Amino acid sequence: MPRWSITHLEDAPTLAHRPGLELKYDDGRNRVWLPTGDGAVLVERRDPVTGVWHADPPRG
């Protein structure tokens, strides 16, 4: 998955919405959601065996 700054992701087009989140990146294996308010970036990865999306644990 590429690395970007938050500013680059904020400027990227929104691909989808969830309550409080905007999907900014989706390559079929990884998704990056940005919060619409204060909050943490959500990164999800798809399990290649089950096809289920799982959120990465927060880092820091």
Side-chain angles (χ1 to χ4, degrees), residues 31-60:
R31 293 178 179 164
V32 177
W33 297 85
L34 292 185
T36 55
D38 291 337
V41 172
L42 173 65
V43 177
E44 296 179 309
R45 297 184 193 280
R46 187 176 58 81
D47 183 310
V49 175
T50 64
V52 175
W53 290 93
H54 299 280
D56 280 357
R59 295 181 188 171

Side-chain angles (χ1 to χ4, degrees), residues 14 16-24 33-37 39-42 44:
T14 299
H17 293 274
R18 278 190 188 169
L21 296 170
E22 293 181 341
L23 180 61
K24 295 295 188 165
W33 297 85
L34 292 185
T36 55
V41 172
L42 173 65
E44 296 179 309

